[in-house]
Amino acid sequence: MEGIYLVKAASAIGAGLALIAGIGPGIGEGYAAGKAVEAVGRQPESQGAVTKTLIVGCAMAETTGIYGLFIGLALLFFNPLL
């Protein structure tokens, strides 16, 4: 019976660590958006290309946060021992 509590505790700790993965994309996307605004401010005619690149880059960065969220939820709710 104590093994179940150990698995629950380990799953909760693992889920918390997995959800820390959301910090990186937030910082990265904020930095990228700031640089995109700076680039458009320097060359307004390049707004279309900068915006397209920014959107693709933010979508790629956000996938790591989504993976971390999925792993955290999987550790909490998809545990076969409970």
Side-chain angles (χ1 to χ4, degrees), residues 32 35-37 39-40 43 46-56:
K35 289 297 182 178
V37 169
V40 171
Q43 291 184 333
S46 68
Q47 180 180 2
V50 170
T51 303
K52 288 178 189 175
T53 306
L54 174 69
I55 290 172
V56 170

Side-chain angles (χ1 to χ4, degrees), residues 13-44:
I13 291 170
L17 291 174
L19 293 179
I20 291 175
I23 294 173
I27 293 171
E29 290 173 19
Y31 184 75
K35 289 297 182 178
V37 169
E38 183 179 324
V40 171
R42 289 182 184 199
Q43 291 184 333

